[in-house]
């Protein structure tokens, strides 16, 4: 079955695509498949085998896990145009986290064999994956700080800022279409607490809260925000 025009367009616009030869790109387009995940559904489950590198064609995902004590730990949000799961593909162990769709989402699934063929034969693709792994490492380290030490407003600020990493979520616009409920899922906070936090950040001139979204006005300010 041939790939849809939307899938082909997403693959060709991915930041790593320009590093591939025509033959490599042809294989990627032939091997990658599309999958739809409804809101609330699992894109990936903890404990399952890792068979694909996953790209988000459109939608919104939450990457998280549940601690032995039952606490939900959210790592990050995944927006349209982003790819994830490269670390899991470099290992042979089962997946260590869940990925849940917060809204209807379409995925691009690149098979493990295709992913490794690109690693083996494309220096540019290798550099992209190394950069992505490094950015994720920095993000996970910062999660420890803002989960344990920051209040809700500061957590919302850091959570928003984390979404604006151009390596993890390429092509993201300052005008982020996300509901307060969705942002709450990413920050592990109620919609009411997110609403209050956005009002504080709005008054500080860091964001402009609007119906159905948030416009980021000062990204550096969000990254270092701490409540007084």
């Amino acid at each position: 079955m041939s790939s849809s025009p939307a899938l082909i367009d997403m693959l060709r616009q991915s930041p790593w695509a320009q590093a591939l030869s025509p033959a490599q790109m042809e294989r990627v387009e032939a091997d990658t498949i599309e999958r739809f995940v409804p809101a609330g559904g699992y894109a990936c489950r903890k404990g399952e085998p890792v068979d694909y590198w996953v790209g988000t064609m459109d939608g919104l995902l939450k990457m998280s896990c549940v601690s032995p004590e039952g606490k939900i730990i959210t790592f990050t949000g995944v927006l349209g145009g982003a790819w994830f799961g490269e670390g899991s593909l470099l290992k042979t162990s089962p997946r260590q986290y869940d990925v849940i769709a917060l809204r209807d989402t379409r995925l691009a699934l690149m098979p493990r064999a295709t992913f490794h063929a690109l690693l083996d034969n494309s220096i540019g693709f290798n550099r992209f994956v190394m950069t992505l792994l490094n950015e994720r490492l920095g993000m996970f380290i910062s999660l420890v700080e803002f989960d344990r030490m920051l209040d809700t407003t500061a957590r919302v600020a850091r959570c928003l800022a984390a979404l604006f990493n151009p390596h993890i979520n390429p092509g993201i616009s300052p005008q982020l279409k996300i509901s307060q409920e969705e942002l709450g899922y990413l920050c592990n906070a109620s919609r009411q607490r997110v609403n209050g936090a956005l009002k504080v950040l709005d008054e500080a001139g860091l964001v402009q809260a609007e119906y159905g979204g948030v416009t980021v006005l000062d990204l550096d300010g969000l990254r270092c925000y701490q409540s007084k």
Side-chain angles (χ1 to χ4, degrees):
M1 184 175 65
S2 59
S3 301
S4 71
L7 176 57
I8 295 297
D9 186 56
M10 185 266 190
L11 293 172
R12 293 178 180 179
Q13 290 187 28
S14 293
W16 44 263
Q18 60 184 346
L20 305 186
S21 69
Q24 289 168 336
M25 196 65 208
E26 183 177 355
R27 174 173 179 177
V28 167
E29 293 176 6
D31 293 352
T32 304
I33 60 175
E34 187 175 338
R35 178 185 165 202
F36 173 77
V37 182
Y42 282 82
C44 306
R45 287 182 181 269
K46 182 178 179 179
E48 69 182 5
V50 182
D51 298 321
Y52 298 97
W53 193 36
V54 186
T56 310
M57 296 173 62
D58 55 54
L60 176 64
L61 301 168
K62 179 182 77 166
M63 189 181 294
S64 63
C65 70
V66 180
S67 73
E69 297 74 29
K71 179 183 178 181
I72 297 176
I73 303 170
T74 299
F75 300 128
T76 189
V78 184
L79 304 173
W83 289 82
F84 65 90
E86 59 286 337
S88 299
L89 279 174
L90 294 174
K91 300 178 290 185
T92 57
S93 57
R95 193 177 299 279
Q96 300 298 307
Y97 52 85
D98 294 318
V99 183
I100 301 170
L102 298 183
R103 65 176 75 139
D104 288 351
T105 300
R106 287 186 301 162
L107 303 177
L109 306 178
M110 182 189 296
R112 171 187 286 271
T114 308
F115 176 83
H116 279 281
L118 297 181
L119 282 181
D120 291 342
N121 296 286
S122 172
I123 294 175
F125 187 79
N126 261 276
R127 287 174 176 165
F128 175 85
V129 172
M130 288 177 61
T131 298
L132 198 52
L133 288 169
N134 187 55
E135 292 293 328
R136 290 204 200 283
L137 176 61
M139 179 189 69
F140 292 146
I141 290 173
S142 68
L143 278 173
V144 177
E145 175 192 3
F146 75 64
D147 184 60
R148 296 182 180 178
M149 301 173 60
L150 303 179
D151 65 10
T152 300
T153 300
R155 286 209 319 271
V156 170
R158 302 296 178 89
C159 182
L160 274 172
L163 293 176
F164 283 82
N165 184 310
H167 300 285
I168 295 175
N169 285 313
I172 187 172
S173 166
Q175 296 177 311
L176 180 62
K177 297 299 181 183
I178 189 170
S179 70
Q180 292 182 6
E181 184 177 21
E182 290 169 338
L183 189 54
Y185 285 133
L186 297 180
C187 302
N188 292 331
S190 67
R191 187 189 64 78
Q192 291 80 6
R193 286 183 175 270
V194 169
N195 179 269
L198 289 177
K199 288 180 179 178
V200 174
L201 297 175
D202 193 312
E203 292 170 359
L206 302 179
V207 304
Q208 181 178 331
E210 45 208 32
Y211 181 76
V214 178
T215 297
V216 172
L217 304 176
D218 184 351
L219 183 55
D220 289 335
L222 288 177
R223 285 172 174 154
C224 63
Y225 180 84
Q226 293 189 19
S227 300
K228 298 178 181 179

